[in-house]
Amino acid sequence: MPEPNVEGSGEIRQFLASIFERYGHDLRGYAVNSVQRRVRAALGRSGLSSVAELERRSLADPLFFAQVLPSLTVRVSEMFRDPTFFLTLRTRIVPLLRSYPRLNIWHAGCATGEEAYSVAILLAEEGLYDRCQIYATDVSAQALEQAKLGVYAADSLETFASNYRAAGGRHDIRRYVTEAYGRISICEPLRRNVVFFQHDLVGDYVFGEMDAVFCRNVMIYFGRELQERVLGKLADSLRPHGFLCLGRSEQLGRRGRAQFTDFAPPDRIYRRAP
């Protein structure tokens, strides 16, 4: 089967502009190379041969577009990904959070929910889970459905367990899941304080009064201008001295440097300037 034809940037720009106008999902600021890879993936999964066909079908059929959107935005996720980050979270941030009467946490771009549940496990082990509310959002309704269920392939468990141990986990990760029929399910008590809902980080409103915002491995797909705009939104959502957690390959730009101070730069953890 021939490889789908991903035309030049003009056709892709037109496709993204049409998607924004029709559905309100703003992908126009994504990095060009990332968009091209994702459009190619969407074409491959849909069986269509050109961006023009993908655009026509997406605009005419909202159900088809709902199936295409995850290909355009999907991010790889796993529990306790980048264990050293979670170890820093446990050893340096949690002690500061112990004095807070309530904790509000936002996972922006949560994908299928593994990171939100990882933080829930960590906070439960540190005795903070009962006083926290975790808001986990993503643009993909399909990803959120899996996140709400908290169900993952059982063959992921060894990777999850290895990451958990390296992140300073206090028990066996199997304490927090049930296994059946080739799947693992996050135990109900860990889902109780996690709320998942659809939210477009680029175009929608921001949350306020957050003590910590996790936006990890999301902005690497954005162009520089969009990165700066999103960083401004994340800053607006945080209380003074609140924590911003980015992915290992992500950097604060000029605007971010004016709004945040370093806390643990190797782990891309910053604090909102007062």
Side-chain angles (χ1 to χ4, degrees):
M1 181 177 179
E3 184 174 328
N5 179 25
V6 178
E7 296 96 331
S9 58
E11 288 82 2
I12 292 178
R13 283 199 301 271
Q14 175 60 46
F15 171 55
L16 299 184
S18 297
I19 292 305
F20 175 65
E21 183 177 351
R22 175 73 169 85
Y23 297 106
H25 292 300
D26 194 352
L27 312 178
R28 297 171 297 175
Y30 280 39
V32 173
N33 290 342
S34 175
V35 169
Q36 289 177 335
R37 288 194 301 271
R38 292 175 185 282
V39 169
R40 185 173 286 109
L43 286 170
R45 291 190 177 98
S46 67
L48 301 177
S49 60
S50 71
V51 175
E53 289 182 85
L54 184 65
E55 180 181 353
R56 283 194 296 270
R57 184 79 182 275
S58 296
L59 297 180
D61 186 349
L63 291 179
F64 172 80
F65 177 67
Q67 296 173 337
V68 167
L69 184 60
S71 296
L72 298 175
T73 61
V74 69
R75 291 173 288 277
V76 176
S77 184
E78 62 187 38
M79 294 192 76
F80 293 95
R81 184 182 182 187
D82 296 332
T84 58
F85 163 80
F86 283 94
L87 188 59
T88 299
L89 178 63
R90 186 187 293 271
T91 59
R92 296 192 57 192
I93 296 180
V94 163
L96 299 177
L97 299 180
R98 291 194 189 282
S99 63
Y100 290 34
R102 290 288 302 169
L103 294 172
N104 290 320
I105 296 172
W106 178 21
H107 286 266
C110 69
T112 45
E114 291 92 332
E115 182 176 85
Y117 290 126
S118 300
V119 171
I121 290 171
L122 189 155
L123 293 176
E125 291 186 347
E126 298 295 332
L128 299 179
Y129 185 68
D130 287 340
R131 67 173 97 157
C132 83
Q133 180 66 61
I134 298 174
Y135 303 93
T137 66
D138 200 89
V139 70
S140 169
Q142 182 177 327
L144 289 169
E145 285 305 309
Q146 181 179 352
K148 290 174 185 177
L149 293 173
V151 175
Y152 307 101
D155 59 11
S156 303
L157 187 56
E158 285 306 313
T159 297
F160 293 174
S162 176
N163 289 347
Y164 167 77
R165 289 191 297 270
R170 301 185 185 279
H171 305 290
D172 187 324
I173 199 171
R174 287 171 175 81
R175 166 186 284 215
Y176 306 109
V177 302
T178 57
E179 299 179 67
Y181 307 108
R183 302 284 183 184
I184 58 171
S185 302
I186 303 296
C187 293
E188 192 281 331
L190 286 171
R191 301 203 307 270
R192 185 180 64 243
N193 292 356
V194 185
V195 178
F196 292 97
F197 55 96
Q198 193 169 21
H199 176 271
D200 185 345
L201 183 59
V202 175
D204 287 346
Y205 57 88
V206 299
F207 292 76
E209 300 299 307
M210 294 293 118
D211 299 298
V213 172
F214 295 78
C215 188
R216 303 180 68 239
N217 306 305
V218 175
M219 288 191 292
I220 54 174
Y221 303 112
F222 296 168
R224 185 176 300 276
E225 182 179 341
L226 183 55
Q227 288 178 4
E228 295 283 350
R229 182 150 53 98
V230 169
L231 277 170
K233 286 189 171 188
L234 300 181
D236 290 342
S237 75
L238 280 164
R239 291 180 173 136
H241 303 295
F243 294 94
L244 173 66
C245 304
L246 302 180
R248 188 168 296 278
S249 299
E250 295 166 327
Q251 302 280 351
L252 289 179
R254 177 181 54 81
R255 182 175 181 179
R257 285 291 171 192
Q259 294 175 304
F260 294 96
T261 59
D262 289 343
F263 181 79
D267 294 299
R268 302 296 188 263
I269 301 173
Y270 308 92
R271 298 193 82 172
R272 177 72 163 95

